[in-house]
Amino acid sequence: MKMSCLSPSVPNIQSKLLIEIAQALEADGVRLLILAQPPSQRAQIFSYGLQPSTTEPIEKNSLWQDVFDCQSTNIQPNSPSVVPIDRITDEPILEPLFMPFTVVGIQSLLILPLRENKQCIGCLTVFKSTPIWTVDQLQLAKDLAFDLSIAIIQQQLEQLTNNRLYYDLLTGLPNRSLFTRLLTLSLAKMPPTDQVLTVMLLNLDRFKHINSCLGYKIGDQLLQLVADRLKNALENQVIIGRWSGDEFAILIPELTDTVAITEVADRILNCFNFSFKFDQKFQTLKTDSLYIKAKMGVAITATIMDSEILLQQADIALAQSRNDSTNRYEIYTAISTHPPIDRLRLENILIKAIAISNTPATAATDDRQLLLHYQPQIDIHTGKIIGIEALIRCQDFHAKIISPADFIPIAEENGSIVPMGKWVIKTACQQKKRWQDLGFGNFPIAVNFSVKQLQDRNLVDTIIAILAETKLSASDLEVEITESIAIKDLDTTIAVLEALREIGVKIALDDFGTGYSSLAALKYLPLDRLKIDRSFIRELTENSVESSLVKTIINLGHELNLDVMAEGVETAAQLDVLRSINCDTVQGFLFSRPLTAIDLETAMARGSCWHQHLFPPANLRSYNNL
């Protein structure tokens, strides 16, 4: 750490504060170190009153170095902790400094790290010629150190605002670095009133399209026009910054309620109701003006908090707004989707899970995060297992199961769904072969396909290779696709499914009845089974509307020579209705939740039937005879 000692007589805000701190704490000396900004420069040291007699700065001692390490102490942003040393000679870590302290009569000290968010910006050390610090003195020292942190941040920001390096060269607005520090200061200075602080992130729609069609020069001019219009629309106390390429950040320090916030948001977005005029005519467009729209995310706080968290909340709200074509802006709420850190955590879990899952079978499996659970499918008249569906599960690094609703969309987005799907098919086929060799029936095992898997040109060859490797017949494998997936690219879906059908793989259409093109899909898709979506079964009773709808689906399936299965069966009453309207097979919690392979294997080995009271005694079968 580079350091330079500055005379306390240098006129600055720190000198006055150090005197006030010494007087308030009845201390004999105070020492302030301000870390360099940027780090390549020298740190500054200010002192007042009694000081240790050293040639080297005391802050090079490991005790102070540990305090500087923000990650090693559990303290909140902008809320300095305190390290009290009641008797210096009782601390072995200070042994090299015993003499410099005792020579001048210093017996005790306090060390207080000064922080801006989670970053250490300096350290305050207070000396006393008497031992022991009282509880009141410790609390007062924390409060004074907090005030000193604010003063330092304020002074550094005043210096930064005169430095053009902290402004965006294109728009003249504060850049990301300066905006973040201004936000940190505003959060730290929030008064305990009924006012709130608001951050807005604004993103231009299809800005990259303008760059690619009209050139980057026009894109730069548009950003300048947007910046000027925002400055003209907002009041002076509002801070506008250039956040990234086509994003602007807006800080509003004092608003009273959501009505005022929505008024400002509308005023900002109304800037885009009028065209932006350029100093040249675009020949391809036959105009010198462009219309562009924007989306915005809003985050609000009434308390001091980490600026990074507030910005993340605004970014989440912006993402929600961009996904919703009807809303121009969204205000963050606690019900929002996973924050970025959760998404990053899930992505890392998936990457590791796929990597471990692809290790040789002889490798240790304790750390595997991908696993399959299995749910039996039951003949509605006999209680006999006629199939088993393999359902993927993922667990985090603490073996906690993650919902498929959380990790499947991320796997779809980042492309990991394809290797994950390959692992599912191979693992399910291996398990099916094991059960087959153990004599547990001749039922197929079903796996689910995603749209990305159907678009994989190697899918059919991959399945053929897996079947050959596992020595499993193609008729022992069933693939399930949903209606919504099937109709996204009907031609590709038909081609893939027909190729699978040719080699003997069975095909099921999952979640039937929820798509908007069900009959068209049925007309063209090569199918063996329809699976009625659980939403129809949930409210199923004998004379309900659902009963009529389900009966219609069953009759339609039978007319097409398809087996019809009902998903989500949870009650005996639902089973009775389905049996009365000639449903073929059922699946749901009434019979079994999805089980691990070991648990299902154990149940089958016992040779007992699922809920024997649900089926006519004459038709009961044991697992050994399946």
Side-chain angles (χ1 to χ4, degrees):
M1 179 182 4
K2 298 179 181 179
M3 298 186 180
S4 62
C5 293
L6 302 185
S7 168
S9 63
V10 175
N12 54 68
I13 193 170
Q14 286 87 356
S15 297
K16 181 181 178 181
L17 284 174
L18 293 187
I19 295 172
E20 294 175 351
I21 290 172
Q23 293 173 345
L25 295 175
E26 300 178 354
D28 298 295
V30 182
R31 181 182 179 91
L32 170 66
L33 179 140
I34 303 177
L35 294 176
Q37 294 290 339
S40 59
Q41 299 180 0
R42 289 184 176 273
Q44 295 177 310
I45 296 177
F46 301 87
S47 61
Y48 168 77
L50 194 63
Q51 299 292 311
S53 128
T54 60
T55 55
E56 285 284 325
I58 60 173
E59 290 82 4
K60 289 190 175 182
N61 181 274
S62 57
L63 179 60
W64 279 267
Q65 292 298 313
D66 288 342
V67 170
F68 292 146
D69 183 4
C70 297
Q71 303 302 321
S72 67
T73 51
N74 184 22
I75 56 179
Q76 295 298 316
N78 294 326
S79 179
S81 182
V82 56
V83 180
I85 307 296
D86 288 330
R87 294 182 185 275
I88 291 172
T89 52
D90 291 342
E91 294 293 330
I93 197 172
L94 292 177
E95 185 176 356
L97 298 175
F98 283 173
M99 183 63 69
F101 281 122
T102 56
V103 165
V104 296
I106 297 175
Q107 291 195 48
S108 60
L109 59 84
L110 293 179
I111 304 175
L112 297 109
L114 309 178
R115 283 173 165 62
E116 177 185 354
N117 276 336
K118 298 174 182 177
Q119 180 182 1
C120 190
I121 60 173
C123 177
L124 178 69
T125 307
V126 185
F127 306 112
K128 201 164 62 166
S129 58
T130 57
I132 310 301
W133 296 91
T134 68
V135 174
D136 290 341
Q137 285 176 328
L138 295 179
Q139 183 57 53
L140 179 59
K142 291 182 183 181
D143 296 339
L144 293 172
F146 179 79
D147 293 339
L148 182 56
S149 297
I150 300 302
I152 293 171
I153 296 170
Q154 181 91 51
Q155 188 177 59
Q156 290 178 342
L157 280 172
E158 289 174 359
Q159 296 171 352
L160 289 179
T161 53
N162 295 322
N163 188 337
R164 301 312 299 173
L165 291 176
Y166 290 90
Y167 288 83
D168 177 53
L169 296 177
L170 183 64
T171 63
L173 298 174
N175 63 15
R176 189 183 190 124
S177 176
L178 180 55
F179 182 90
T180 303
R181 300 200 68 183
L182 290 168
L183 172 59
T184 299
L185 181 62
S186 296
L187 285 166
K189 294 173 67 176
M190 283 189 65
T193 66
D194 57 354
Q195 294 179 335
V196 297
L197 183 146
T198 305
V199 170
M200 301 178 176
L201 289 181
L202 181 142
N203 179 257
L204 304 182
D205 289 348
R206 297 178 62 78
F207 178 74
K208 292 180 180 179
H209 189 63
I210 291 175
N211 273 340
S212 61
C213 293
L214 301 177
Y216 288 94
K217 183 179 178 181
I218 298 301
D220 288 348
Q221 289 181 25
L222 177 60
L223 291 172
Q224 292 171 330
L225 293 172
V226 170
D228 291 340
R229 197 170 285 187
L230 290 175
K231 285 187 285 187
N232 291 333
L234 298 172
E235 299 172 359
N236 291 332
Q237 65 267 31
V238 175
I239 299 171
I240 308 170
R242 173 95 181 275
W243 189 247
S244 64
D246 61 342
E247 283 189 3
F248 295 84
I250 301 162
L251 167 62
I252 310 171
E254 297 177 357
L255 289 175
T256 55
D257 51 38
T258 54
V259 174
I261 293 168
T262 56
E263 288 176 353
V264 174
D266 288 335
R267 192 190 319 159
I268 292 170
L269 291 172
N270 286 342
C271 292
F272 298 88
N273 290 343
F274 309 96
S275 65
F276 293 88
K277 190 171 183 178
F278 294 79
D279 55 4
Q280 67 180 83
K281 189 171 184 178
F282 308 118
Q283 295 301 322
T284 55
L285 302 178
K286 311 244 185 260
T287 180
D288 61 354
S289 300
L290 289 176
Y291 283 92
I292 190 167
K293 295 298 181 182
K295 293 280 191 175
M296 196 157 62
V298 182
I300 307 165
T301 183
T303 59
I304 297 176
M305 66 182 300
D306 190 339
S307 62
E308 183 179 350
I309 293 176
L310 190 64
L311 287 164
Q312 285 180 354
Q313 292 176 352
D315 191 55
I316 292 169
L318 174 61
Q320 290 177 321
S321 176
R322 294 177 67 178
N323 290 332
D324 187 345
S325 59
T326 61
N327 289 340
R328 297 195 300 169
Y329 65 90
E330 286 282 351
I331 298 177
Y332 176 86
T333 67
I335 310 176
S336 297
T337 55
H338 295 295
I341 189 65
D342 281 353
R343 179 185 174 88
L344 183 61
R345 179 180 64 87
L346 283 175
E347 286 178 340
N348 276 275
I349 289 172
L350 286 177
I351 292 171
K352 181 181 178 184
I354 294 170
I356 294 177
S357 297
N358 288 327
T359 55
T362 54
T365 58
D366 292 344
D367 294 331
R368 293 184 186 271
Q369 268 118 9
L370 287 183
L371 61 154
L372 292 184
H373 284 184
Y374 302 88
Q375 190 173 36
Q377 299 167 334
I378 310 295
D379 183 289
I380 200 168
H381 301 294
T382 66
K384 176 182 177 180
I385 294 180
I386 54 84
I388 289 181
E389 181 177 4
L391 300 164
I392 189 169
R393 298 291 184 262
C394 183
Q395 56 188 10
D396 63 17
F397 302 127
H398 304 289
K400 180 181 178 182
I401 295 294
I402 304 169
S403 169
D406 291 332
F407 72 83
I408 291 296
I410 293 176
E412 287 271 11
E413 290 179 26
N414 64 21
S416 60
I417 193 70
V418 173
M420 183 188 297
K422 180 179 178 181
W423 176 85
V424 170
I425 298 169
K426 183 175 181 178
T427 304
C429 287
Q430 289 173 335
Q431 187 61 57
K432 163 58 185 170
K433 180 61 175 174
R434 170 181 168 79
W435 285 332
Q436 196 175 71
D437 292 343
L438 291 173
F440 291 140
N442 191 28
F443 45 76
I445 193 159
V447 296
N448 293 277
F449 274 10
S450 73
V451 64
K452 291 290 179 71
Q453 285 176 277
L454 287 174
Q455 294 170 348
D456 179 13
R457 63 181 63 187
N458 298 318
L459 176 63
V460 177
D461 290 339
T462 297
I463 291 177
I464 292 173
I466 290 174
L467 291 171
E469 180 183 348
T470 57
K471 297 181 174 57
L472 194 68
S473 169
S475 61
D476 289 319
L477 177 65
E478 180 176 282
V479 299
E480 295 185 4
I481 60 169
T482 63
E483 279 187 75
S484 55
I485 288 175
I487 61 179
K488 279 188 176 180
D489 186 351
L490 196 57
D491 291 340
T492 299
T493 302
I494 292 171
V496 171
L497 296 184
E498 284 183 342
L500 291 174
R501 189 77 174 279
E502 283 183 14
I503 64 174
V505 174
K506 292 181 170 59
I507 313 292
L509 188 63
D510 201 4
D511 299 340
F512 184 78
T514 59
Y516 58 83
S517 188
S518 308
L519 295 179
L522 283 179
K523 180 179 179 181
Y524 296 107
L525 293 173
L527 300 173
D528 297 287
R529 173 177 293 156
L530 289 184
K531 296 185 71 175
I532 304 173
D533 186 71
R534 66 186 65 246
S535 61
F536 292 100
I537 309 302
R538 192 175 299 119
E539 304 296 330
L540 182 64
T541 57
E542 186 174 356
N543 296 314
S544 63
V545 173
E546 285 78 11
S547 175
S548 299
L549 291 173
V550 171
K551 184 175 182 180
T552 301
I553 295 173
I554 292 171
N555 291 337
L556 175 62
H558 289 167
E559 287 292 328
L560 297 172
N561 295 318
L562 301 177
D563 178 86
V564 182
M565 176 183 292
E567 293 186 287
V569 180
E570 298 185 0
T571 68
Q574 292 169 349
L575 178 65
D576 289 340
V577 174
L578 290 167
R579 187 183 282 134
S580 70
I581 56 179
N582 295 319
C583 187
D584 301 304
T585 49
V586 284
Q587 179 179 348
F589 288 178
L590 178 62
F591 314 102
S592 174
R593 291 178 177 272
L595 302 172
T596 64
I598 294 176
D599 289 341
L600 183 56
E601 191 173 302
T602 300
M604 290 190 292
R606 286 200 306 263
S608 27
C609 197
W610 305 110
H611 294 256
Q612 297 185 9
H613 65 282
L614 297 174
F615 301 94
N619 293 332
L620 290 180
R621 300 286 189 274
S622 70
Y623 285 121
N624 291 332
N625 296 323
L626 291 180

